[in-house]
Amino acid sequence: MSELRWKAIDVAQNRVIPVIQIPEGKVTDFYGIHTFTDEAMKTLLSPDAYKKVSNAIKTGDNIEGNVADEVASAMKSWAISKGATHYTHWFQPLTGGTAEKHDAFFDISFDGHAIEKFKGSALVQQESDASSLPNGGIRETFEARGYTVWDPNSPAFISYNSSGTGTLCIPSIYFSYTGELLDAKTPLLNSSIVLDKAATSVANIFDRNVEKVTATCGIEQEYFLVDKALYHSRPDLIMCGRSVFGHSPAKGQQLEDHYFGSIPPRINAFMVDFEIEALKIGIPVRTRHNEVAPGQFEVAPTFEEINLACDHNILLMDVMKKTAQKHNFEVMFHEKPFAGINGSGKHNNWSIKTDTGVNLLGPSTKPKESLRFVTFLVNIVKAVHDHADMLRATVATAGNEHRLGANEAPPAIISVFLGTAMTKVLEDIENKEIIEIEKGENAYIKLGLNRIPSVLLDNTDRNRTSPFAFTGNKFEFRAVGSSANSATPMMVLNTIVAKQLESFRKEYDLEREKDPSKKEGIILKILKRYIKESKNILFEGNGYSKEWEDEAAKRGLSNIKDVPKALEAYISDQTVELFENMKVLNKRELHARYEIRLENYIKKIQIESRVIGDLAQNHVVSTAIKYQTRLVQTAKSLIDMEMKEEAEPILNIIREISKHVNVISKNVKDMTEARKKANNEEEIKEKANIYSNEVRSFFDVIRKSVDKLELIIDDEDWPLTKYRELLYIR
């Protein structure tokens, strides 16, 4: 084992940095060249077909068969000209990742001639297996039929393999034979539709010209890089995505010298390489930097329409993994791959904009627009307050459980940070007496709405401890884990905001029927009540502090720390009623997602448990006993030479090793029994609780004894590569 370790370190420190082929010209010259863009469609389709496809994308209508055939023919010609030999419906099943099945353009005609074939029917719909992928009990294992259907809102692109041949990837939705949704994309699309309808209705109160409102998102992606040789010397990294054992280095992140530091040349080469590939398929990456922990980095794109942003993020993760292989790296998206240093998140920066070019979360210098801004802001706060548990459920995973509430991540308590300036504005609205607006008076000035832009000029510092923070013209949902598909938390955010805006519009219309002359006063009256009902969720301080935990309990806010409990929000009566009424997900689909998320949690803890047991019992204990035997021989020799006093320190070490070996062996056995008990449990909820409480209770006990042994034992066969060998990339 020792030989493998030192060889891995030697290989890692002597890597040659690959030469990156930078495309000629400006970024704009090669941006999107591997994407079937609107410009490509316009060039390759007839004017009539292009118009019909464009209208279908805007309206969501079906694309006619003959038009689909023309689009398929154009896509095929374009893809083949760029080296593609196959096509696939690229979709997002409930695994958290993506899936694809490749079919060749090549076929044999009825008379035996070789042809290149790709029809509109193959573009629009394909059949896929709906039983082997997670379905949460929606399908029986013998019922295999499911369907993928082209999503024209997200452009097709070409993915290249290491040999240089390409596959035309067609972004698609995925559902079962009986119509239930089995993917992450379709609910997001549904939520975007209901948000558009509700937000447009409210925006029309202020501007009748608004015809469409779109959610936008910018997703910051944090990740770790580990040299491939070092990575493959750690079974726990390979199988669990994180180190289950390992001694902390003397130098971690305590000097705060890695964050925003100079990017190491080998890392920079990797970043440049994957950014070029991302830009070619239309992912607008713009930002790169060192993150807080050694070995940790971040990439961030420009804001995009939310469906496209989520597609691009999960595609970017795939591009990064493939590119990393060329650079002899492994990319780690686990939320907490190493204890004692920061974990990784995926900050989702969410906003809503109109087709007239207005960011509805952007403060304005015009008082009338300030009222619109406050209206949307307060409704979002109210939505998060009323459905905080469901937002929490979307970020509840085995990996994120290690991160939430630690030094770099928001706690399990969902709170909203607005900054002192906006908090003061809402307090003024809440405490202001109802103002009568006389004819001819400027309602906005009298209500104090003309002061909002000047107040916000000196906006409050950002609060990195808040799970949901207003950052000037958007909300940043910071609690999302780095390995997650953002489509799910963004789908929930879209839906709860849509529901709240719908409720606001109904209340507004009822009040206007009573008194059509006092629009501004009616809006403020409703907002005043919303602020009172939801202000408990507003918090400006340190979200990591024990004081906040105590204060949140007094306010009645949820603090759901374990995953199984958090996931119950998926099947609560409130959630089911909301999502069915909004036609985003039905009860069966919500229950399926609950089952799938619980199963995923159980299986990940199960894998970690098995790896911990194997490493501890078959590698750590065996090495400890071998080392102990050498000490026994040394102690015996000293005693035989009548040097009992000199032998005593060695005997103490022998006793210490025996103590820890016994602790490890006993707890590995008990952990295995707890796992068997859980596996025999039929009720998935109870199974998850056993894994969460009983199985995981042994993890730390075993780990502490292993850490103690690592400090004691100096043996060339010690099996654990220390953190310092993994994290510092030269």
Side-chain angles (χ1 to χ4, degrees), residues 92-94 134-138 174-175 180-188 390 488 491 567 570-571 579 584-600:
Q92 300 168 33
L94 298 174
N135 60 70
I138 282 178
Y174 177 47
F175 55 90
E180 288 91 359
L181 307 183
L182 295 175
D183 68 342
K185 175 190 268 283
T186 316
L188 178 65
M390 188 56 192
T488 297
M491 172 271 293
L567 292 176
Y570 269 92
I571 55 173
F579 279 83
V584 173
L585 288 166
N586 63 36
K587 182 176 182 179
R588 197 174 181 205
E589 291 161 345
L590 285 163
H591 275 260
R593 279 155 178 77
Y594 170 70
E595 298 265 340
I596 290 166
R597 296 286 292 269
L598 270 186
E599 283 278 9
N600 182 269

Side-chain angles (χ1 to χ4, degrees), residues 235-236 239-240 242-245 402 604-621 664 667-668 671-672 675 695-696 698-703 706 720:
D236 48 0
M239 288 183 273
C240 304
R242 73 181 185 103
S243 57
V244 296
F245 296 128
H402 295 291
K604 286 188 174 178
I605 300 301
Q606 185 182 75
I607 291 167
E608 288 186 2
S609 171
R610 286 174 171 165
V611 169
I612 285 172
D614 174 51
L615 285 177
Q617 197 67 25
N618 300 325
H619 298 272
V620 172
V621 167
I664 291 169
N667 279 276
V668 168
M671 180 175 66
T672 303
R675 199 169 64 231
V695 175
R696 286 187 62 200
F698 299 105
F699 284 16
D700 285 339
V701 178
I702 297 169
R703 188 180 296 115
V706 172
L720 303 176

Side-chain angles (χ1 to χ4, degrees), residues 29-231:
D29 294 333
F30 64 86
Y31 178 69
I33 61 170
H34 295 159
T35 303
F36 193 66
T37 59
D38 183 74
E39 192 61 36
M41 279 202 300
K42 188 181 291 185
T43 302
L44 296 171
L45 296 179
S46 66
D48 183 56
Y50 172 75
K51 183 178 179 181
K52 288 179 178 177
V53 172
S54 297
N55 287 338
I57 291 172
K58 290 176 184 176
T59 61
D61 293 339
N62 292 330
I63 295 174
E64 298 171 6
N66 61 329
V67 175
D69 283 336
E70 187 174 339
V71 174
S73 178
M75 269 192 193
K76 179 191 70 177
S77 300
W78 172 81
I80 290 173
S81 73
K82 292 185 174 292
T85 59
H86 290 65
Y87 65 92
T88 181
H89 273 205
W90 180 83
F91 61 103
Q92 300 168 33
L94 298 174
T95 58
T98 60
E100 51 197 67
K101 178 192 73 171
H102 298 191
D103 288 301
F105 289 122
F106 168 81
D107 204 351
I108 299 294
S109 67
F110 70 93
D111 56 359
H113 288 92
I115 58 171
E116 304 286 351
K117 186 176 75 173
F118 183 49
K119 292 185 176 181
S121 56
L123 165 65
V124 172
Q125 181 172 307
Q126 283 191 317
E127 185 178 327
S128 187
D129 194 325
S131 62
S132 297
L133 289 165
N135 60 70
I138 282 178
R139 306 290 289 156
E140 296 288 351
T141 54
F142 59 82
E143 295 176 312
R145 184 168 287 173
Y147 297 101
T148 52
V149 173
W150 174 36
D151 169 23
N153 298 283
S154 190
F157 59 92
I158 298 176
S159 174
Y160 291 92
N161 59 30
S162 57
S163 67
T165 57
T167 301
L168 174 66
C169 297
I170 302 158
S172 304
I173 65 174
Y174 177 47
F175 55 90
S176 72
Y177 178 74
T178 47
E180 288 91 359
L181 307 183
L182 295 175
D183 68 342
K185 175 190 268 283
T186 316
L188 178 65
L189 291 171
N190 290 346
S191 73
S192 297
I193 291 169
V194 297
L195 178 64
D196 169 25
K197 182 180 177 182
T200 299
S201 177
V202 174
N204 286 155
I205 296 172
F206 306 95
D207 182 1
R208 288 288 179 188
N209 294 318
V210 174
E211 295 182 354
K212 186 177 180 61
V213 172
T214 304
T216 63
C217 196
I219 304 171
E220 305 166 31
Q221 179 69 59
E222 295 175 342
Y223 60 97
F224 278 85
L225 282 177
V226 173
D227 185 90
K228 187 188 290 187
L230 292 167
Y231 176 86

Side-chain angles (χ1 to χ4, degrees), residues 7 73-74 89 115 172 185 211 221 251 281 291 324 339 348 387 403 441 444 493 510 548 626 722:
K7 184 177 180 180
S73 178
H89 273 205
I115 58 171
S172 304
K185 175 190 268 283
E211 295 182 354
Q221 179 69 59
K251 180 180 182 293
I281 52 178
E291 254 301 330
N348 285 227
H387 302 281
R403 168 181 167 262
E441 289 185 318
Y444 301 101
L493 183 56
L510 284 173
W548 168 232
K626 187 182 79 169
K722 297 184 178 183

